[in-house]
Amino acid sequence: MSTSYNIEWKTSTNDCFAPKTTELVGVKTNDHPLKTAFVTERVPRRILGSQPSTGRTTPVSTPSVILEPLSMALEGVDPLTAFAIEEMDPLSKLAAEESRESRDSGPDKKLSEQKSEVEPWAGKKAGILSKYTTSEKISIVTSFLSDGEKVVVKAQSTAVDKMQHRLEQLDYIEEGSQTKLNLSQTEYVTRIEQLNRELVSAWNSEQRVKALKIAIQCAKLLADTSVLRFYPSKFVLITDILDVFGQLVYNRLSTKTDSHKQIPKMSNLPDDFTPDMVSDLTKETCLNWFYKIASIRELVPRLYVEMALIKSYYFLSLSECQEALRRMAHMISGIGNPIVAVYARCYLCRVGRGVSNRIKNKQYLLQNFHRFLNSYHHLFSSSVKAELAQQKMSLSVYTTLFTPALDYMLQTVAYDASDALIDDLSTQCKNHGNSSLILNTMMSAFKPSCISKRALQFMEMMEQCLDQGIPLYSLLRTLGLCVSVAPPPLDHRRQILNAAWRHITALKEVEEYVACAEPWILYVVKYFSHREINTILADIIEHVAPDRSYEQYYPQLKNVVENIVLNIQDFEALLVMDNFLPLIDLFQQESIRVEVCKKILLGSKSTVHLVNDAVVVNALMFLCTTLHDSVNALTPDDEYRQIGEILCHVIKTIDYGRDFEQQLTFYVEARGMFSNVDIVFVQLVQCVNALSVKTRQIVKGLHTRKTGDFVRACAAYCFITIPSIKSVKHRLRLYLLSGQVALFNQCLGQADACFKAAATTLAEVQTDRSHFPETELIPYVKQFLSILLVVPDNPDCSVLNLTRSVLNVLQGYTWEANTSLICIYLSVIDMLSVMAQEWYPYHIDKVESNDSLYGSDRKFIAEVNKICSVVTGELMAKLQAVGPCTKQSSLAMELFVRVAVRNDLTSQTTVLALNLWNLAVKDDSIDKKYLARTRDYLKKKSFSCNNTSLQELVEKLE
């Protein structure tokens, strides 16, 4: 260092500042000159634990910088984890805090035991549209899609003319030219969406008749079964349009009622309005709508349009709606095509659910389902067989088309029904030869608990099924979903598994086998031992391994693994199973394999605490290696962090207890296995430091030759590993921590090497400021200085070699703020002043610091004063560079206190102190009370220590 200010510093070593007593040696202290003050801040409660955020905050005392790392290690606090968490992005924090969520199993999630309502139709639509598709051409006949038909509206002078014109429009649209198009599925969906827009547009332009005719022509499309495979999706698309039309009519009638109010004080028509609140004009309009619907000649469109307007019956009578529902349930029996009839009954249940809050008697729902049962034999009629032959469709595929409608129909009946209903339906199912379609519908619709306690009965009915509508494997899968959610009776469980698996293992088609095994494995994991799980896994591998069939069923096999991991109680027993890791080996596609390994290791977090079994450790390392090897330059940051977190958790999980040498050997092996993930190296260094501290605690600081060699090996491990870490911030923190741990274990050479490496690494911060800003660097340097106070000088180097190295690095650093280096230099003055005392305020146990080594030798004190003189000169130069401002006055006051208190005042330093005081008081914004308190303190100190130089200085202060 060089400066234009020639200041001779002489550190004060009087008794008032450093009592000469041996009582200080070895005394624990919670404070030191550079300890950072605690501040109270408001921390969101969710950050403090796993409880959900309440929107409130909790006051906590936290240090502005990380505390002394060695103390934290001894208290079980992990400083590097703290700042690693600080660096996490919000998504990673959320992933670290949240508990493992239950798996969403798509359509199977409806079997949740908490089900108390019918699954909304809106939740079914997406699944139907994605499942029931076709590559065939679909016919559509309509008058509204060719160039957007324009309707000329003539002016009518009388009501009779207006009515006559509407009837003419109706006849024209019915009898006029219609276009028949053969469209692909995508084109068909586009046309249906266009019809929906046409309907709304016609309604908004007061063309009510046109809107009605669009609804009628859409309903007519539901009578067409020329493409059976697409019929469920067609039903979804068309009924959406009918729902829109029904709502438009209802809203229109409500508006007319509002404009002709019968109750003056009522601003809007309530949801539970009664017909006496409705005007006669509205009732007449409503009747006109139903008269128009009644004039529709074809049964299917007449039924669908009336069902779409079912809610509007409340404008006429409270009982009319319920009567209409019963009537239409009877009328649907007149539809000859079974699939058209069953979806019409499904739509009846849908619209009935829409008005269920005003209908107490829901008997029509059960009657509706019974009427389907009465016509069930139509599914196997000659006309249906002819149609299936024409479309080249098997009976089993045909019956699956009924499942969406039947499931919804029976759910509306079953969700609040008694057990007597399921017994009644079981009897009817037997009367129909144990129909597989009805059987499957019952198991899908009723609560899993109702099915589980009758599982043996359903198994018997499956085995006695006379038709092949729904194949046996589908029935077994549905039953498996039920029993895996709700436990069957204890004495039936093994009998159920034996009966079911006898059929499952006999399945020849891999697709059918995997479909069954996926839900049944969950049943086995929940209610049976590891022996049964291992046997089932062996059976799965035997079925999917030939001809690499497993490559086609990765999603199902992944669900199998996930079901096991999320529900098994003894995770260690799973890892030692003969057939678990071979099952993981089936995942040859890297992305799938990594995802599976990640799920397994995440699943181990809540069940595996500490392990040391060799087989379990090898299994965990196998999974971790798969995860680690997937990391490359293209890996997203969030994925990289998540993998690192998982690997760190596994490393902390493996614990060999008091076998510290085996533990260190494991850490050495882990370092070679996980070289691609930076945070893993951070964790390994922390673990080895913790191991070293545990060793010292066991021997109570009295190392033997063996334990001494071990802790030196730990220190060497850390010193070798830290340079491989890419983050400069992590390296700096770890060097400081490792140096303190080495010092704690009396490994002076290793500690000195770590501190020298930290000083060298400080220079690299210049190129990595984004990860280590000055707001964090300044507290780090202060903490480093507080540690250097008790670090003994290396006899092979010059006096205070480490301190000089740090100061040289700091001087060459380009600081963003002019005052940053001033703040550090003030701390340097504090540290050096304490270093010149005969006894230091704190020590490391069994480590002789410079106060013992030098014994206040004059040459040592002279070196300290020399450095202090240079630093003070630098401070004066920096203060001058800051220029007149409040900050300059504040810093001048800080330096004044140090010159007055830390220094044996001479004429030169007295003048310096006066100049600094005058510079500080020039600023009007400085706290006058603070100045007064400072002056009083110095005055008392001068008299208590009989310091005449300080007394003279106080007298000269204004």
Side-chain angles (χ1 to χ4, degrees):
M1 293 184 180
S2 62
T3 178
S4 57
Y5 289 87
N6 187 12
I7 299 171
E8 184 178 350
W9 184 278
K10 185 178 180 182
T11 303
S12 174
T13 57
N14 58 57
D15 293 342
C16 295
F17 183 72
K20 296 181 180 179
T21 171
T22 57
E23 294 178 0
L24 289 176
V25 179
V27 176
K28 292 184 178 180
T29 177
N30 294 322
D31 199 2
H32 54 73
L34 303 181
K35 183 176 180 179
T36 306
F38 279 76
V39 296
T40 300
E41 59 179 350
R42 309 296 295 188
V43 179
R45 287 185 177 176
R46 187 176 66 82
I47 302 302
L48 299 177
S50 59
Q51 296 297 323
S53 175
T54 60
R56 303 177 183 175
T57 56
T58 301
V60 294
S61 294
T62 58
S64 59
V65 296
I66 295 176
L67 293 180
E68 198 273 323
L70 186 56
S71 300
M72 298 177 71
L74 291 174
E75 295 170 7
V77 182
D78 192 344
L80 291 175
T81 298
F83 69 74
I85 291 176
E86 289 172 4
E87 290 189 324
M88 279 188 176
D89 63 302
L91 290 177
S92 297
K93 284 186 179 180
L94 184 61
E97 292 168 2
E98 67 180 355
S99 61
R100 182 174 64 250
E101 297 181 352
S102 60
R103 179 176 63 92
D104 179 8
S105 56
D108 300 335
K109 66 183 177 182
K110 68 181 179 181
L111 291 171
S112 172
E113 186 61 29
Q114 287 72 33
K115 174 180 64 178
S116 60
E117 286 290 342
V118 179
E119 183 183 358
W121 180 256
K124 292 175 172 286
K125 292 194 297 185
I128 294 173
L129 291 172
S130 62
K131 181 177 181 180
Y132 298 98
T133 60
T134 183
S135 58
E136 300 179 40
K137 292 293 183 180
I138 310 169
S139 299
I140 184 170
V141 180
T142 179
S143 306
F144 301 97
L145 294 180
S146 55
D147 299 329
E149 174 193 356
K150 296 182 174 65
V151 177
V152 180
V153 181
K154 299 180 181 179
Q156 293 83 31
S157 58
T158 65
V160 176
D161 292 340
K162 186 175 183 180
M163 183 62 69
Q164 183 65 30
H165 178 70
R166 287 185 174 178
L167 290 174
E168 290 175 357
Q169 279 187 309
L170 197 65
D171 292 338
Y172 171 77
I173 296 173
E174 278 191 347
E175 300 171 4
S177 61
Q178 294 182 337
T179 305
K180 180 176 181 180
L181 303 173
N182 291 321
L183 308 173
S184 66
Q185 178 179 319
T186 304
E187 294 170 339
Y188 186 89
V189 173
T190 303
R191 294 286 184 167
I192 294 298
E193 292 173 352
Q194 185 181 346
L195 273 175
N196 196 3
R197 292 192 295 269
E198 286 283 348
L199 185 147
V200 176
S201 177
W203 186 273
N204 292 335
S205 60
E206 304 295 330
Q207 300 180 46
R208 314 293 186 204
V209 175
K210 180 180 178 181
L212 173 60
K213 292 312 297 178
I214 293 175
I216 293 172
Q217 289 197 2
C218 287
K220 284 183 178 181
L221 296 175
L222 292 174
D224 177 23
T225 59
S226 57
V227 185
L228 280 171
R229 286 182 175 84
F230 187 67
Y231 192 87
S233 294
K234 181 196 290 188
F235 171 79
V236 170
L237 297 170
I238 299 300
T239 52
D240 279 351
I241 298 179
L242 295 176
D243 291 341
V244 170
F245 175 70
Q247 192 61 42
L248 288 172
V249 173
Y250 182 84
N251 292 343
R252 171 64 177 164
L253 294 174
S254 299
T255 304
K256 290 179 72 68
T257 299
D258 290 342
S259 61
H260 301 83
K261 299 188 189 307
Q262 301 299 301
I263 302 177
K265 294 183 179 180
M266 189 176 295
S267 58
N268 292 301
L269 196 64
D271 292 337
D272 57 346
F273 68 91
T274 56
D276 59 329
M277 300 179 186
V278 180
S279 65
D280 293 338
L281 179 59
T282 302
K283 291 181 180 180
E284 182 182 355
T285 305
C286 184
L287 280 172
N288 285 339
W289 277 109
F290 286 111
Y291 288 153
K292 290 174 185 177
I293 294 169
S295 67
I296 301 173
R297 290 188 289 268
E298 299 178 29
L299 176 60
V300 172
R302 184 167 73 249
L303 276 171
Y304 269 103
V305 177
E306 184 178 2
M307 286 189 287
L309 269 63
I310 193 71
K311 194 176 179 182
S312 298
Y313 271 116
Y314 283 121
F315 291 100
L316 302 177
S317 170
L318 290 176
S319 60
E320 192 70 28
C321 184
Q322 187 165 336
E323 291 297 327
L325 288 169
R326 282 200 293 265
R327 172 175 50 81
M328 286 185 286
H330 180 71
M331 290 173 63
I332 292 174
S333 300
I335 300 177
N337 193 308
I339 195 167
V340 177
V342 77
Y343 276 94
R345 295 191 183 280
C346 177
Y347 191 58
L348 181 69
C349 293
R350 276 185 55 196
V351 298
R353 291 291 301 169
V355 295
S356 61
N357 59 326
R358 302 188 67 175
I359 296 179
K360 304 303 180 184
N361 186 359
K362 299 182 176 61
Q363 192 65 25
Y364 75 94
L365 293 171
L366 185 57
Q367 291 174 356
N368 186 47
F369 190 77
H370 280 157
R371 290 186 184 278
F372 162 75
L373 293 178
N374 293 336
S375 62
Y376 180 72
H377 60 278
H378 290 166
L379 273 69
F380 310 99
S381 64
S382 57
S383 59
V384 171
K385 292 179 180 178
E387 186 175 16
L388 294 180
Q390 181 183 358
Q391 298 196 29
K392 299 179 181 179
M393 179 181 289
S394 65
L395 180 62
S396 61
V397 174
Y398 176 66
T399 51
T400 59
L401 302 179
F402 288 76
T403 53
L406 287 178
D407 285 352
Y408 189 81
M409 286 169 58
L410 194 51
Q411 282 177 28
T412 58
V413 177
Y415 83 95
D416 59 352
S418 63
D419 284 0
L421 176 60
I422 191 172
D423 294 331
D424 177 57
L425 291 177
S426 298
T427 302
Q428 296 194 42
C429 182
K430 292 178 181 178
N431 294 336
H432 288 88
N434 292 318
S435 164
S436 58
L437 178 58
I438 302 174
L439 197 59
N440 190 70
T441 303
M442 290 173 60
M443 291 189 294
S444 299
F446 283 92
K447 291 182 179 180
S449 57
C450 295
I451 305 299
S452 288
K453 63 184 180 182
R454 298 173 175 83
L456 285 178
Q457 176 187 345
F458 278 95
M459 280 297 307
E460 182 181 353
M461 294 170 67
M462 288 180 203
E463 293 171 345
Q464 296 175 2
C465 260
L466 299 179
D467 66 74
Q468 296 298 321
I470 301 295
L472 178 60
Y473 82 89
S474 292
L475 298 175
L476 288 169
R477 174 181 171 82
T478 307
L479 181 60
L481 291 170
C482 293
V483 296
S484 63
V485 171
L490 184 61
D491 54 341
H492 291 174
R493 292 178 185 177
R494 185 168 296 277
Q495 191 176 352
I496 293 170
L497 177 61
N498 292 337
W501 205 261
R502 183 175 66 253
H503 294 290
I504 295 172
T505 193
L507 294 171
K508 302 301 181 183
E509 296 294 330
V510 179
E511 181 180 3
E512 298 176 359
Y513 176 85
V514 172
C516 288
E518 182 183 350
W520 279 96
I521 192 68
L522 180 57
Y523 173 74
V524 177
V525 172
K526 282 187 173 182
Y527 309 125
F528 293 91
S529 67
H530 303 114
R531 183 173 62 86
E532 284 81 3
I533 298 174
N534 194 44
T535 302
I536 297 298
L537 291 180
D539 193 59
I540 292 174
I541 295 172
E542 182 181 351
H543 276 79
V544 301
D547 301 324
R548 300 177 69 91
S549 301
Y550 51 81
E551 294 180 346
Q552 304 174 38
Y553 305 104
Y554 281 150
Q556 292 86 344
L557 293 174
K558 187 169 64 174
N559 288 337
V560 167
V561 174
E562 190 170 358
N563 281 334
I564 296 173
V565 170
L566 295 181
N567 293 279
I568 197 164
Q569 298 299 318
D570 189 350
F571 196 86
E572 294 183 41
L574 174 65
L575 293 177
V576 300
M577 284 184 191
D578 296 336
N579 296 305
F580 182 68
L581 290 184
L583 178 64
I584 306 304
D585 284 334
L586 296 180
F587 297 94
Q588 297 296 318
Q589 186 176 335
E590 183 181 0
S591 59
I592 301 294
R593 188 184 185 91
V594 169
E595 186 177 352
V596 170
C597 291
K598 188 186 299 182
K599 287 184 181 296
I600 296 171
L601 293 173
L602 285 173
S604 70
K605 279 191 174 183
S606 60
T607 55
V608 177
H609 302 290
L610 297 175
V611 297
N612 54 28
D613 182 84
V615 177
V616 177
V617 171
N618 287 336
L620 288 173
M621 289 297 101
F622 167 75
L623 298 172
C624 288
T625 302
T626 302
L627 211 57
H628 168 268
D629 292 346
S630 68
V631 175
N632 53 48
L634 302 179
T635 303
D637 290 343
D638 288 337
E639 177 77 5
Y640 181 83
R641 289 191 184 98
Q642 187 181 19
I643 291 175
E645 180 186 353
I646 293 172
L647 298 180
C648 289
H649 170 76
V650 173
I651 288 172
K652 290 186 289 185
T653 297
I654 298 172
D655 184 3
Y656 290 94
R658 297 290 290 268
D659 191 351
F660 288 178
E661 291 184 352
Q662 179 63 31
Q663 191 76 48
L664 182 60
T665 301
F666 166 73
Y667 292 145
V668 172
E669 293 173 354
R671 181 175 61 186
M673 296 170 64
F674 306 133
S675 58
N676 290 342
V677 184
D678 219 29
I679 195 66
V680 176
F681 274 25
V682 174
Q683 183 64 56
L684 287 171
V685 172
Q686 289 177 290
C687 290
V688 172
N689 279 325
L691 193 62
S692 184
V693 171
K694 288 179 184 177
T695 304
R696 186 193 185 281
Q697 289 176 331
I698 290 175
V699 300
K700 298 180 180 180
L702 301 174
H703 282 293
T704 64
R705 180 176 180 180
K706 183 177 181 179
T707 59
D709 290 342
F710 180 77
V711 294
R712 281 189 288 273
C714 290
Y717 177 98
C718 296
F719 186 75
I720 293 171
T721 306
I722 294 173
S724 302
I725 299 173
K726 299 174 185 176
S727 170
V728 175
K729 181 178 179 179
H730 285 173
R731 292 208 305 272
L732 281 173
R733 300 282 190 186
L734 289 171
Y735 274 132
L736 203 56
L737 174 63
S738 301
Q740 288 177 274
V741 173
L743 203 62
F744 189 57
N745 280 290
Q746 301 107 50
C747 302
L748 302 184
Q750 288 76 8
D752 186 68
C754 287
F755 294 137
K756 286 181 179 179
T760 303
T761 308
L762 271 174
E764 300 180 30
V765 177
Q766 185 88 11
T767 60
D768 195 17
R769 293 194 177 193
S770 60
H771 295 92
F772 208 173
E774 287 185 11
T775 53
E776 296 182 34
L777 179 61
I778 293 174
Y780 175 84
V781 172
K782 290 182 178 181
Q783 184 182 5
F784 196 177
L785 292 173
S786 70
I787 296 168
L788 290 181
L789 174 64
V790 293
V791 176
D793 279 347
N794 189 330
D796 297 331
C797 302
S798 59
V799 176
L800 300 178
N801 179 262
L802 270 175
T803 304
R804 294 175 190 272
S805 299
V806 172
L807 292 177
N808 288 333
V809 170
L810 296 176
Q811 186 189 33
Y813 189 87
T814 304
W815 299 90
E816 296 178 2
N818 294 333
T819 58
S820 297
L821 189 56
I822 296 177
C823 294
I824 292 176
Y825 279 165
L826 290 172
S827 297
V828 172
I829 292 292
D830 289 334
M831 188 270 286
L832 290 174
S833 298
V834 175
M835 191 173 284
Q837 305 308 310
E838 187 173 351
W839 303 104
Y840 295 167
Y842 55 92
H843 293 82
I844 301 294
D845 187 30
K846 295 182 176 59
V847 174
E848 292 186 348
S849 300
N850 286 339
D851 55 349
S852 299
L853 293 179
Y854 293 110
S856 297
D857 183 77
R858 292 183 180 181
K859 293 182 180 180
F860 174 72
I861 300 298
E863 288 294 329
V864 171
N865 289 337
K866 182 179 178 181
I867 299 176
C868 286
S869 300
V870 176
V871 171
T872 305
E874 288 286 337
L875 277 170
M876 293 301 298
K878 297 292 182 184
L879 277 176
Q880 185 178 5
V882 171
C885 63
T886 302
K887 190 66 176 176
Q888 184 192 52
S889 300
S890 175
L891 292 172
M893 192 65 192
E894 292 289 325
L895 181 56
F896 163 78
V897 171
R898 284 162 175 80
V899 172
V901 175
R902 305 290 197 194
N903 182 61
D904 278 341
L905 293 173
T906 62
S907 58
Q908 183 189 31
T909 51
T910 300
V911 171
L912 174 62
L914 286 172
N915 290 338
L916 290 170
W917 174 270
N918 294 331
L919 181 62
V921 299
K922 281 183 181 179
D923 186 38
D924 296 332
S925 62
I926 196 167
D927 189 354
K928 305 300 181 184
K929 293 181 179 180
Y930 172 68
L931 294 176
R933 289 196 301 270
T934 303
R935 189 166 48 242
D936 291 343
Y937 169 76
L938 294 177
K939 185 175 182 180
K940 290 179 182 179
K941 182 178 177 60
S942 65
F943 285 106
S944 63
C945 296
N946 195 23
N947 190 333
T948 56
S949 299
L950 185 58
Q951 291 175 9
E952 293 175 1
L953 173 63
V954 173
E955 292 174 358
K956 296 178 182 179
L957 298 180
E958 297 180 1

